[in-house]
Amino acid sequence: MSEFINSRKYFLLFILISSFCGTLYAIVVKDNSSLLYTVNSFFEGNFQIIPGLEIFRQAIITYLIPAILIFIGTMNKNLLPIAVVSLFYMIFSYSFTFTCLVILYGIQGILATLMISGFSSVAIIGVLVEIFYKGISYSILKTDIIFKHFIDFYLKALLVIFGISLYDAIFIQHVRILVKNVLFSSGLFY
């Protein structure tokens, strides 16, 4: 395990920096009422049942685009900024949303975020970091990873992304309604 962490220490540092930037940005713009209204409307709005296929389509697009950009970006030194920006953006956006919910709801915002996007966000960030790491190991660091192994890993990562999107389509809408009914109706958010 220490070798796993030691070989990815720069990626862990990158995750911390990206998270810090997202948190800092949320703190700086916390007085922006329209931004916080948008985040708040995620919970307080009237829920309309969205077809699972539409949720799946949105999730697969949201998760697949950064995975493709990271894959392409790590194949060439000149395209590496595309991969860095894609990974940064995903981590930044999760951190920003999490911080906004904490600003709005305090400790209950943490609970709601963990219930709604805890599994998905950790899994997606893990997959994207591994794609980035394997791509860098293959193309730039020139380790013993051969292209076929990298492609095999990438295809497995796409299956994981498909699975997470399917999970979102099946469960997230129900979890979101549960969070609204339990946390909002119990007065925890007021």
Side-chain angles (χ1 to χ4, degrees), residues 55-56 59 63 116 120 163-173:
I55 295 172
F56 177 77
Y63 302 147
I116 290 176
S120 296
I164 294 168
S165 300
L166 193 59
Y167 167 81
D168 283 356
I170 295 170
F171 295 110
I172 291 302
Q173 185 163 243

Side-chain angles (χ1 to χ4, degrees), residues 33-183:
S33 59
S34 63
L35 180 64
L36 293 179
Y37 174 78
T38 302
V39 173
N40 191 36
S41 67
F42 180 77
F43 286 110
E44 288 187 349
N46 292 328
F47 289 132
Q48 297 176 351
I49 300 300
I50 301 170
L53 191 58
E54 178 62 23
I55 295 172
F56 177 77
R57 187 185 69 76
Q58 289 174 357
I60 200 84
I61 290 170
T62 301
Y63 302 147
L64 199 56
I65 290 173
I68 291 170
L69 291 174
I70 290 171
F71 176 77
I72 292 169
T74 57
M75 290 290 96
N76 185 325
K77 288 180 184 178
N78 297 329
L79 298 177
L80 190 60
I82 293 171
V84 171
V85 169
S86 296
L87 185 60
F88 180 86
Y89 176 76
M90 284 299 285
I91 298 168
F92 178 91
S93 64
Y94 281 125
S95 175
F96 173 76
T97 304
F98 178 78
T99 304
C100 285
L101 289 172
V102 170
I103 289 171
L104 285 170
Y105 302 117
I107 196 80
Q108 291 83 6
I110 295 171
L111 179 63
T113 303
L114 291 176
M115 288 176 66
I116 290 176
S117 68
F119 168 74
S120 296
S121 60
V122 169
I124 287 297
I125 295 300
V127 166
L128 294 179
V129 166
E130 281 302 302
I131 292 171
F132 198 101
Y133 176 74
K134 300 284 187 189
I136 293 292
S137 296
Y138 166 72
S139 66
I140 295 174
L141 300 177
K142 305 292 185 196
T143 59
D144 59 353
I145 296 177
I146 59 175
F147 187 70
K148 182 186 179 312
H149 290 149
F150 178 59
I151 291 297
D152 288 344
F153 173 80
Y154 184 69
L155 293 175
K156 290 175 187 173
L158 292 179
L159 286 175
V160 170
I161 289 171
F162 179 83
I164 294 168
S165 300
L166 193 59
Y167 167 81
D168 283 356
I170 295 170
F171 295 110
I172 291 302
Q173 185 163 243
H174 301 294
V175 171
R176 189 172 153 209
I177 292 169
L178 177 71
V179 166
K180 181 186 180 206
N181 289 338
V182 171
L183 297 179

